[in-house]
Amino acid sequence: MATLPITKRGADKLKAELHQLKAFERPAVINAIAEARAQGDLSENAEYEAAKDKQGFVEGRIQEIEGKLSAAQIIDPADLHADGRVVFGATVSLEDEDTGDKVTYQIVGEDEADIKLGLVNINSPIARALIGKEEGDVAEVQAPGGLRRWEVISVSYR
């Protein structure tokens, strides 16, 4: 499995979810299965089926998170020294050349991406267009509405 870039914040979030699943969700599901088994006939026991389904989900999510963390390359943006270039973990302020709209994005891993919070996936078209750019450069991004040109106003590593 190839390494997956993830910020320190994203890795901490995944570790917290893993702890929640192992320490609380898994034991709760085990108890629910035991209680459903105590009711007798399992062939028509909806509680038992629901608990088994939930157990499958919890165990699957635990395996997924453990796999991601084992393949993760954790990057702390504060430790980056990219000489003003846009790299994974960088926070970039942009200005749309056509409209003058200003936005700020941080380039993060797939699991962390949330455009409402200004976190864009490293594999997104805008992130791919920005990688390697510096302050003053213009990135052309093929958006659903057509070609957009964004000027890099500033690049920071926080």
Side-chain angles (χ1 to χ4, degrees):
M1 178 181 253
T3 60
L4 302 170
I6 189 169
T7 64
K8 184 176 179 328
R9 179 186 63 236
D12 291 344
K13 187 177 172 185
L14 282 177
K15 288 175 186 174
E17 182 182 353
L18 184 62
H19 174 73
Q20 172 71 22
L21 289 168
K22 285 183 168 183
F24 302 103
E25 298 290 329
R26 183 187 269 168
V29 169
I30 291 170
N31 287 340
I33 291 172
E35 288 175 16
R37 279 189 175 178
Q39 295 176 7
D41 184 16
L42 298 180
S43 63
E44 295 182 18
N45 189 327
E47 289 84 12
Y48 178 76
E49 291 301 321
K52 289 297 282 183
D53 288 346
K54 177 137 182 161
Q55 181 184 37
F57 171 78
V58 168
E59 294 302 324
R61 184 65 180 149
I62 287 172
Q63 286 182 357
E64 180 182 5
I65 293 171
E66 286 177 338
K68 286 179 179 183
L69 288 173
S70 70
Q73 177 186 2
I74 300 171
I75 298 170
D76 187 350
D79 293 339
L80 293 176
H81 303 290
D83 299 323
R85 285 180 296 113
V86 178
V87 294
F88 179 87
T91 300
V92 187
S93 294
L94 307 167
E95 182 176 343
D96 187 314
E97 285 194 336
D98 294 332
T99 64
D101 293 342
K102 293 184 179 180
V103 294
T104 300
Y105 295 129
Q106 181 180 18
I107 300 174
V108 298
E110 183 178 309
D111 290 313
E112 307 170 76
D114 185 344
I115 196 69
K116 293 176 189 158
L117 299 176
L119 304 172
V120 295
N121 182 348
I122 183 70
N123 297 317
S124 69
I126 192 162
R128 288 194 314 259
L130 290 170
I131 294 295
K133 299 284 192 259
E134 297 177 346
E135 197 173 300
D137 289 350
V138 174
E140 292 185 348
V141 180
Q142 187 61 45
L147 188 66
R148 309 259 319 250
R149 294 173 50 89
W150 295 91
E151 181 181 351
V152 178
I153 304 300
S154 68
V155 180
S156 64
Y157 312 103
R158 48 183 165 103

